[in-house]
Amino acid sequence: MTSPLRSVADIIFRDGPVFTATVPRRRASRGSRPVPASPPPAAVATCGDRILAVGQTRDIMDLAGPRTRVIDLQGRLLVPGFIDAHAHLIAHGASQLQVNCKYPNVRSIRDIQARLAERAATAAPGAWVRAWGYDQSRLEEQRHPTRFDLDAACPDHPALLTRVCGHIVVVNSRVLEMARITADTLDPAGGKFDRDERGVPNGVLREAAGLALAGLVAPTLDDHLAAVAAGTEDYLSRGITSVHEAGTDAFGLRAFQAHLAGRVPRLRVYAMLEPSDRAFQEAFLSTGLASGFGDEWLRIGPLKLMADGSSSGPTAATREPYAVDATDSGILYLSQDEVNERFLAAARAGFQVTAHAVGDRAIEMVVNGIEHALAPGLRMEGAPAPARPPRHRIEHCAMTDPALRARIKALGIVPILQPVFFHEFGDGYVRNYGPARAAEMFAAGAFLRDGVPFALSTDCPVTFPDPMLNVYVAVTRQTMGGQVVGPEQRLTVAEALAAYTLGGAYASYEEASKGSLEPGKLADLVVLSGNPLAAEAEGNLEAIRGMKADLTVSGGEVV
């Protein structure tokens, strides 16, 4: 038994299995005595907001007192709290309050229209009707809805429909009028207004074109607070105890702070600076605050940029054209000079930097920018060397080849991957990018073999937030349509669980305080409804995807 101090436990989990996610000890060198294998831990004790001890049940039970709550695992696996290293918690919470248009809830534009019309019938006069989650590749019509489709469903309300990836929105004619978008409106840098045969915008706004709506649909603080509460409740119910919020502004930070100050169930937030608001980022840099500022509930994370579009749109910036369209290779938001300049300024200010980068063309640009920011000769005169080795990130990091992965390793970059995307979007990847490129996407197996630390995440609400579905797809690489894409990139269950816990903690410099079950670390734990390690050993991988969180502990409290 290992314990930092003698005390009485508040909670004891007994009669394991227990997955600690700890880094295994090195094997003994040749010629030395073999180190006898110790039995795997079967029990964990917590005291206050910390893990008190990890060991065998008979030893851990010595820490029980008259008020200790004892939980018999009964064959269920105890794991560290899941860390979703790239998600949009506020957007996820807000989406739960909007019209759900995700497949298989909707299968046609007619289905979307029916749902929008139902919401409009109960909306106040002039109120917005907002919906999310459609995927044109899964609609019977095999196209995006347009302003005219939304006009038919919501003639008297402004209507906004967001694609599942969050990179494309559709609005009705009333919104186009409110935003003053006409045939004379030029496409913005990094964005596009889809148009009809006369050149008139048809209501589909891609990437940065959606910024034309800024100010029209701005949420209130109460809206943000409701979204944070709804997203937090859902995440904790799934065993997710920490989230890396993939872009928030001052308003979002205020909402997180207000929520966390209340006597409510809480999860831990590592907040990236909103990439679409350059003025906010520059103002924040001027304060002297940097990544890591905050406490164990809310910390400032990296400064984030947007390099390209989405993997499923598809709008990712690729070196070679799409397999389905030889004239298209995606959308870039920034030039190389802009990436270099902004990363260097952030790194000089003490920030971890990151960027949304999906296609190999965008990833190469981001790697170049990080390499530029790390160049010793560019450090500000008189500035001290960094207190810790830089641990910059790439969000998604979907399309890489051996040369790119070698550069990522050399620069100490942490890829933040979403293998769960294959479940919902994998069939489209094969179609849009071709089988060879699709097989290399989200290359967890290659990064593992190369010794590159990485983290798993969902990008929720882009796709499903379920941790065990993510683990299942990381282990199988199987799509919703039944294809197995890139089997050489599979992980084992233990590898996936470690990347989903300790990997996320490493990506935020917090591996010393969370991500594994060790004495002294934060008491963030999850009891799963089954044992995915046993299911893997039995060859029953399908059982994994149905497993849920039976109980979640955050900061020592059962939430």
Side-chain angles (χ1 to χ4, degrees):
M1 178 177 69
T2 54
S3 172
L5 70 165
R6 177 72 183 182
S7 188
V8 176
D10 292 325
I11 307 174
I12 290 178
F13 300 89
R14 58 171 294 165
D15 296 326
V18 173
F19 179 80
T20 64
T22 51
V23 178
R25 292 183 176 88
R26 291 184 178 180
R27 295 177 181 175
S29 60
R30 184 177 298 178
S32 63
R33 288 185 177 183
V35 178
S38 58
V44 173
T46 70
C47 181
D49 68 346
R50 299 284 162 170
I51 295 172
L52 176 63
V54 180
Q56 300 307 306
T57 296
R58 63 182 178 273
D59 298 322
I60 298 299
M61 288 305 297
D62 289 342
L63 301 172
R67 297 184 178 180
T68 299
R69 179 178 180 179
V70 179
I71 298 172
D72 192 333
L73 293 174
Q74 297 180 327
R76 300 170 297 174
L77 187 66
L78 180 70
V79 300
F82 290 107
I83 299 173
D84 195 330
H86 179 109
H88 303 268
L89 184 77
I90 293 176
H92 175 53
S95 73
Q96 295 183 298
L97 308 174
Q98 297 175 12
V99 180
N100 186 340
C101 292
K102 273 185 76 72
Y103 177 88
N105 294 308
V106 303
R107 298 171 182 266
S108 68
I109 292 175
R110 295 188 305 279
D111 291 344
I112 293 174
Q113 290 174 313
R115 288 182 170 234
L116 292 177
E118 182 180 6
R119 177 62 63 89
T122 60
W128 282 76
V129 174
R130 299 194 61 171
W132 71 283
Y134 85 93
D135 181 350
Q136 80 284 357
S137 71
R138 294 190 178 277
L139 299 178
E140 291 177 6
E141 296 84 355
Q142 289 290 295
R143 65 171 176 84
H144 294 278
T146 67
R147 61 189 294 186
F148 307 109
D149 299 313
L150 272 56
D151 288 347
C154 300
D156 302 320
H157 296 267
L160 173 67
L161 170 63
T162 302
R163 190 185 181 276
V164 64
C165 63
H167 289 245
I168 299 172
V169 298
V170 186
V171 297
N172 64 358
S173 297
R174 176 167 292 211
V175 176
L176 290 178
E177 292 170 4
M178 293 168 64
R180 298 180 180 179
I181 298 171
T182 69
D184 296 327
T185 304
L186 299 177
D187 290 343
K192 176 185 176 185
F193 298 104
D194 283 11
R195 303 171 189 269
D196 62 21
E197 62 279 359
R198 300 169 299 160
V200 177
N202 69 0
V204 179
L205 284 61
R206 298 175 186 262
E207 302 295 344
L211 297 177
L213 308 181
L216 294 180
V217 289
T220 65
L221 180 59
D222 285 343
D223 292 334
H224 264 18
L225 285 170
V228 171
T232 295
E233 180 180 3
D234 185 58
Y235 260 33
L236 289 173
S237 76
R238 300 176 187 276
I240 302 166
T241 56
S242 294
V243 63
H244 296 183
E245 178 74 356
T248 191
D249 57 13
F251 211 41
L253 289 172
R254 183 179 174 192
F256 279 125
Q257 185 179 24
H259 177 81
L260 291 167
R263 295 188 61 82
V264 292
R266 300 181 291 175
L267 55 71
R268 305 181 196 279
V269 179
Y270 189 63
M272 306 179 208
L273 298 191
E274 173 57 44
S276 66
D277 192 340
R278 183 169 184 174
F280 165 67
Q281 289 191 347
E282 291 176 348
F284 203 101
L285 293 185
S286 71
T287 66
L289 302 178
S291 299
F293 177 80
D295 59 21
E296 289 164 339
W297 290 106
L298 176 60
R299 289 191 193 278
I300 299 302
L303 180 141
K304 178 187 175 188
L305 301 182
M306 289 292 295
D308 68 342
S310 76
S311 61
S312 65
T315 49
T318 55
R319 290 167 170 167
E320 301 296 328
Y322 296 163
V324 290
D325 186 349
T327 68
D328 194 358
S329 56
I331 292 175
L332 282 174
Y333 275 70
L334 302 167
S335 69
Q336 186 67 67
D337 286 344
E338 288 174 309
V339 173
N340 291 356
E341 172 196 345
R342 295 178 67 178
F343 272 178
L344 179 59
R348 281 176 165 176
F351 266 85
Q352 183 185 36
V353 300
T354 192
H356 165 115
V358 174
D360 46 9
R361 183 161 55 120
I363 293 170
E364 182 175 27
M365 177 182 291
V366 172
V367 171
N368 291 343
I370 291 175
E371 187 174 57
H372 179 77
L374 291 174
L378 296 179
R379 188 178 300 142
M380 292 181 69
E381 186 175 350
R388 56 190 181 184
R391 200 177 287 179
H392 301 310
R393 306 166 38 138
I394 299 179
E395 312 302 311
H396 310 304
C397 202
M399 296 182 188
T400 57
D401 58 16
L404 269 178
R405 291 194 289 269
R407 292 185 67 196
I408 286 169
K409 179 179 181 179
L411 294 168
I413 297 170
V414 183
I416 312 298
L417 310 177
Q418 298 82 34
V420 70
F421 276 10
F422 276 99
H423 176 68
E424 188 169 0
F425 309 125
D427 297 309
Y429 293 161
V430 174
R431 180 173 59 252
N432 292 327
Y433 305 119
R437 269 191 292 189
E440 289 286 307
M441 291 177 69
F442 305 105
F447 283 123
L448 187 73
R449 290 187 292 273
D450 292 344
V452 176
F454 61 90
L456 297 189
S457 62
T458 64
D459 201 13
C460 173
V462 170
T463 196
F464 306 100
D466 303 334
M468 295 315 295
L469 176 62
N470 204 355
V471 170
Y472 168 80
V473 181
V475 171
T476 64
R477 300 275 294 194
Q478 184 167 301
T479 72
M480 196 179 281
Q483 292 189 77
V484 174
V485 184
E488 64 280 0
Q489 303 301 342
R490 290 169 171 162
L491 301 177
T492 66
V493 168
E495 290 163 351
L497 289 173
Y500 218 150
T501 53
L502 193 57
Y506 180 86
S508 59
Y509 293 97
E510 295 176 290
E511 72 273 18
S513 63
K514 66 181 181 181
S516 60
L517 303 184
E518 300 178 80
K521 286 195 172 185
L522 292 164
D524 297 348
L525 314 94
V526 181
V527 178
L528 298 177
S529 61
N531 183 353
L533 296 169
E536 179 183 43
E538 296 163 2
N540 185 16
L541 297 180
E542 286 300 314
I544 296 172
R545 64 188 295 180
M547 294 181 187
K548 305 294 182 184
D550 270 357
L551 181 144
T552 304
V553 175
S554 175
E557 296 185 10
V558 176
V559 292

